[in-house]
Amino acid sequence: MSNKNEPSRPAPAPLKAPALRKSARVFGALGDETRLRLVVALCAGGALSIAQLTAGTQISRQAVTKHLQVLAEAGLVRDLKSGRERLWEFEPAQLDQARQSLDRIAQHWDQALLRLQVFVED
């Protein structure tokens, strides 16, 4: 339980518009089940070709290519040329930034709930 004499934690700085836009692209890209599965596969298997990513699925290579483009635009994957083959690999930096954005949002909620708790207890 808190009381008025407890020191309050400083409120986290609000997220700026560019950070929100980047995070929105990441969350939008991951909001599709197929794209999320592709990210999981790339995290588990390293750089993979489209043939490897479509093996054992009902998804066409063209559909996977389109999904990979969305993920690339969000900064979550990148393609590598390996001879005549094009491989795709996961890029964790944008996901890390999106996670940090969620952490800051969670801090804002924690502060709001703490203020509500103090108000209700008074």
Side-chain angles (χ1 to χ4, degrees):
M1 290 206 162
S2 355
N3 62 44
K4 289 182 181 179
N5 297 329
E6 277 187 20
S8 63
R9 290 180 239 147
L15 291 168
K16 296 191 178 342
L20 287 173
R21 275 192 293 279
K22 283 183 182 179
S23 293
R25 280 195 301 264
V26 170
F27 297 133
L30 294 176
D32 179 88
E33 183 179 348
T34 299
R35 290 192 290 268
L36 189 55
R37 286 176 191 244
L38 290 170
V39 168
V40 169
L42 291 171
C43 287
L48 299 171
S49 68
I50 291 181
Q52 291 169 313
L53 289 167
T54 57
T57 71
Q58 299 295 320
I59 303 167
S60 70
R61 290 181 184 195
Q62 293 81 7
V64 168
T65 300
K66 288 181 182 182
H67 284 295
L68 288 169
Q69 288 300 326
V70 171
L71 291 168
E73 288 170 9
L76 292 167
V77 300
R78 69 181 179 128
D79 64 327
L80 309 163
K81 301 282 188 195
S82 178
R84 292 179 45 185
E85 193 170 43
R86 186 174 178 187
L87 302 176
W88 291 86
E89 71 177 358
F90 176 66
E91 283 286 321
Q94 291 299 323
L95 190 58
D96 289 340
Q97 287 180 353
R99 182 192 48 77
Q100 290 171 10
S101 294
L102 284 178
D103 289 344
R104 300 228 343 244
I105 291 167
Q107 289 173 353
H108 284 283
W109 272 103
D110 289 345
Q111 290 290 321
L113 291 173
L114 183 60
R115 288 190 304 273
L116 178 62
Q117 179 184 4
V118 168
F119 175 78
V120 169
E121 289 175 354
D122 285 344

